[in-house]
Amino acid sequence: MGKKFFVTATDTDAGKTYVTTGLLRAAGRAGLRSLGLKPIAAGADKIDGILRNDDALLIQSSSSVQLPYEQVNPVVLESAIAPHIAAADERRLVTVSRLEGYLKGALLTPNDLALIEGAGGWRVPLNDREMLSDLAKSLGFPVILVVNMKLGCLNHALLSAEAIVRDGLPLAGWVANGGQESMLRYEENLASLQALLSAPLLGTLSWQDEETAANKEFDHILAQL
């Protein structure tokens, strides 16, 4: 079986799905069997009467290995709020063991690259006892950290990296993602993160990048994994 990574971020709307789908498509361009999974998603609309999450749909369509939606995103919650609150509203109990069972079944499908996308940042509650980071710990895959390049990202990135390493997982590298808002002194902040984070900078991205430029950067990131 191929390489497997858990994709997390410094906060919500940082670009996890942008990075995940970009890497999946890059793997497809390289002739690799790519597979993306989003074990839990909060925020969904009904399509033909069935809840579907936009990010999970993008992950599904970007994977060269096609799986049913229910395997890509086994737990989908309607409200776009913290997953444990959304689950409580729906009277559902979401546990690490249940999510891990779903993932292990999907990961039996032959693949060269599998990406598991988290929800929000590293410390996201699943219930009153477990965090989504506990799922990452149970899986044991190396972690890719997406850093939302905005004011405050130095603190967010350093604390996230410390938590990942403290949880005993290898930090494969980090991706600087900008574009939602213009960051003053971007280059100096980027240099500070490179100096302070022990993991390598895999690439720099922006939602404003043209498709050709973005694809080139994703190809470069993939080559380092």
Side-chain angles (χ1 to χ4, degrees), residues 40-42 75-79 81-95 125-128:
I40 184 168
V75 176
V76 55
L77 304 163
E78 187 167 8
S79 298
I81 56 178
H84 71 297
I85 298 176
D89 285 348
E90 297 183 20
R91 300 180 183 275
R92 298 174 66 180
L93 177 61
V94 180
T95 65
L126 288 177
N127 51 56
D128 59 1

Side-chain angles (χ1 to χ4, degrees), residues 26-223:
R29 288 193 296 273
L32 302 176
R33 297 168 297 178
S34 64
L35 186 158
L37 304 172
K38 189 170 181 67
I40 184 168
D45 298 309
K46 287 189 176 179
I47 300 176
D48 297 327
I50 302 173
L51 286 175
R52 294 288 184 258
N53 172 265
D54 286 343
D55 289 346
L57 287 170
L58 284 172
I59 291 170
Q60 182 186 33
S61 64
S62 299
S63 302
S64 62
V65 175
Q66 288 299 297
L67 294 175
Y69 181 89
E70 291 74 17
Q71 280 193 290
V72 173
N73 178 209
V75 176
V76 55
L77 304 163
E78 187 167 8
S79 298
I81 56 178
H84 71 297
I85 298 176
D89 285 348
E90 297 183 20
R91 300 180 183 275
R92 298 174 66 180
L93 177 61
V94 180
T95 65
V96 167
S97 62
R98 185 170 298 175
L99 291 180
E100 186 178 8
Y102 292 140
L103 293 177
K104 285 186 174 179
L107 290 170
L108 290 175
T109 306
N111 65 84
D112 301 305
L113 175 71
L115 300 178
I116 315 300
E117 183 184 306
W122 187 247
R123 294 280 188 240
V124 172
L126 288 177
N127 51 56
D128 59 1
R129 296 179 299 104
E130 297 177 313
M131 300 278 181
L132 189 57
S133 54
D134 293 319
L135 174 63
K137 288 166 61 178
S138 184
L139 293 170
F141 301 157
V143 178
I144 296 171
L145 174 65
V146 181
V147 177
N148 190 1
M149 296 299 291
K150 63 177 185 178
L151 186 63
C153 71
L154 300 184
N155 176 65
H156 295 163
L158 292 172
L159 288 177
S160 296
E162 286 175 14
I164 292 165
V165 173
R166 190 183 307 121
D167 282 342
L169 292 169
L171 183 56
W174 59 284
V175 176
N177 186 47
Q180 269 197 321
E181 58 185 79
S182 179
M183 184 183 193
L184 293 175
R185 315 295 285 267
Y186 173 92
E187 294 297 337
E188 286 135 303
N189 280 281
L190 184 68
S192 294
L193 283 174
Q194 284 185 275
L196 293 167
L197 289 172
S198 58
L201 171 62
L202 298 173
T204 57
L205 297 164
S206 169
W207 278 302
Q208 307 303 320
D209 288 339
E210 294 182 356
E211 184 177 357
T212 301
N215 287 345
K216 184 177 180 181
E217 189 67 6
F218 280 121
D219 292 342
H220 170 71
I221 295 171
L222 179 67

